[in-house]
Amino acid sequence: MKKKALSLILAVCMMLTMMPSAIAASVDVSGGEETCSHEAAIGTTHYDTFEEAVEAAGEDQTVTLLNDAETALVEIKKPIQIDGQGHTLWVERLNVYDDTTIENLKIVRAEGSTQTTVFGVHGQDSNAPKVLLKDCEIVQTGTNHGLRLDASAAGAEVTLDHTNVSADTNKGYGQAITMGVPDCTLKIVNGSQISADYYYGIICFSDNNRILVEDSTVSGWCALYLKYNDEESTGSNNTVEFVNSTINGTCKHAYGISNSFAALVFEGGSNNTVTVDQNSKVIATGGENTERIANFQMMYGTSAPQPENNTLNLLGTAQVM
């Protein structure tokens, strides 16, 4: 009898070990757990991976990162919150399609990723998402974009609250923030730092956007680049305000004076207004390539129209170094 019981126990154990791992993707730890190797949790339910937790989350639920994690493409298509708890998420790309709040998380391009954007903001079903990143960091170490507002995100509102976005890379065209859609609002506040020392801190080649930078710093070869793209995205009718902030035009290239850029660039678009308030400052730091405070110029090539009615209200201080 004892042998039969022992055989039955062994058989059950073997069956459990052979069960697919997906069945054990979530674990309820409401009774407590001394150590945890799971990546994420929703309440007391733990998940093996961050991606599984995002997929399982219901509307307005909070996904909590329990450990540093690495993942491929993750897409958030419902309104949720993410609490990173100070951890790092290495990701090929994180896309947001709905209202999302992310706090206390460092988001870094995964080694070997072929994606050109680390954090993408999209829309779906004519929905313009509201996205808040608070006490976060986005790091692009490869080519192109740290944070990008993509084609379907027209009308989106993105707030960076004490959040840093960097693309301090000479691979491709490092762009910390790229705005490629119209009618969006971008707020950079509360000590946020935006940097792309080789290329563009903020590049906007779309229309009717509002950018507010308050109590923060934006740096880049062009800290702000308002650019004509094509007949549908003209880089026009944008309003930008710098309040109690610092604009750093830095140049790490050695292209020569003929290729000089500026801290603030108006290229091809029209009817843009940039205001630098009395408590803000613009610093242009050159190398072999002379850096300027502002540059109003035609787009390179012949397809761009002549820019008209661009206005820079420089009420603060300007320094060329």
Side-chain angles (χ1 to χ4, degrees):
M1 185 68 179
K2 290 183 177 179
K3 289 183 178 180
K4 288 184 177 180
L6 180 59
S7 297
L8 181 60
I9 292 171
L10 289 172
V12 172
C13 289
M14 289 179 66
M15 289 176 64
L16 289 173
T17 59
M18 293 171 67
M19 292 175 71
S21 59
I23 296 177
S26 63
V27 179
D28 190 332
V29 294
S30 55
E33 190 178 66
E34 291 184 6
T35 60
C36 178
S37 60
H38 303 119
E39 286 185 0
I42 303 172
T44 60
T45 302
H46 287 200
Y47 294 83
D48 289 338
T49 69
F50 172 74
E51 187 174 4
E52 289 171 347
V54 169
E55 291 177 355
E59 290 191 5
D60 299 321
Q61 284 192 308
T62 298
V63 173
T64 302
L65 203 63
L66 303 175
N67 292 289
D68 291 351
E70 184 168 353
T71 187
L73 172 67
V74 176
E75 297 195 314
I76 300 174
K77 295 188 175 182
K78 51 198 166 186
I80 64 172
Q81 292 81 45
I82 296 173
D83 183 359
Q85 293 198 123
H87 292 297
T88 298
L89 179 68
W90 285 273
V91 64
E92 290 189 9
R93 179 167 176 153
L94 178 59
N95 286 333
V96 171
Y97 293 81
D98 211 321
D99 296 352
T100 305
T101 297
I102 302 176
E103 298 187 57
N104 305 306
L105 180 62
K106 184 175 182 178
I107 306 167
V108 183
R109 171 189 177 270
E111 188 68 28
S113 172
T114 59
Q115 297 286 333
T116 58
T117 299
V118 178
F119 189 96
V121 178
H122 305 260
Q124 61 179 352
D125 301 327
S126 301
N127 176 51
K130 293 184 178 180
V131 179
L132 169 64
L133 290 99
K134 180 177 173 59
D135 299 320
C136 290
E137 185 173 2
I138 298 173
V139 182
Q140 170 62 283
T141 60
T143 58
N144 294 354
H145 319 286
L147 185 155
R148 181 183 174 96
L149 281 78
D150 277 323
S152 58
E157 181 175 316
V158 177
T159 301
L160 306 179
D161 184 345
H162 196 250
T163 289
N164 301 337
V165 183
S166 64
D168 296 324
T169 170
N170 200 18
K171 301 174 183 177
Y173 292 90
Q175 303 169 28
I177 299 176
T178 303
M179 301 182 70
V181 289
D183 305 313
C184 293
T185 298
L186 172 65
K187 298 178 181 178
I188 301 169
V189 299
N190 194 24
S192 295
Q193 297 185 34
I194 312 302
S195 64
D197 287 347
Y198 283 95
Y199 287 97
Y200 317 131
I202 302 171
I203 179 170
C204 175
F205 51 85
S206 56
D207 307 325
N208 305 312
N209 294 290
R210 178 175 180 262
I211 301 172
L212 170 66
V213 181
E214 186 171 6
D215 300 320
S216 297
T217 300
V218 180
S219 302
W221 186 23
C222 297
L224 173 68
Y225 190 6
L226 301 177
K227 179 180 174 64
Y228 177 91
N229 188 54
D230 55 34
E231 291 182 358
E232 295 183 357
S233 297
T234 65
S236 299
N237 301 306
N238 297 291
T239 301
V240 186
E241 295 179 80
F242 291 92
V243 179
N244 194 36
S245 294
T246 299
I247 306 154
N248 285 318
T250 61
C251 184
K252 292 188 176 181
H253 296 290
Y255 293 153
I257 292 176
S258 63
N259 291 94
S260 63
F261 253 6
L264 303 167
V265 172
F266 303 77
E267 186 182 277
S270 297
N271 302 309
N272 295 295
T273 300
V274 176
T275 299
V276 180
D277 86 332
Q278 64 271 21
N279 296 315
S280 297
K281 57 185 176 181
V282 186
I283 302 172
T285 304
E288 293 183 39
N289 183 347
T290 303
E291 184 71 46
R292 305 171 184 175
I293 293 296
N295 206 2
F296 299 79
Q297 62 180 18
M298 288 284 289
M299 176 182 173
Y300 294 118
T302 60
S303 61
Q306 178 66 40
E308 296 178 345
N309 301 321
N310 288 310
T311 302
L312 171 60
N313 299 313
L314 181 53
L315 307 178
T317 59
Q319 183 179 8
V320 178
M321 300 176 65

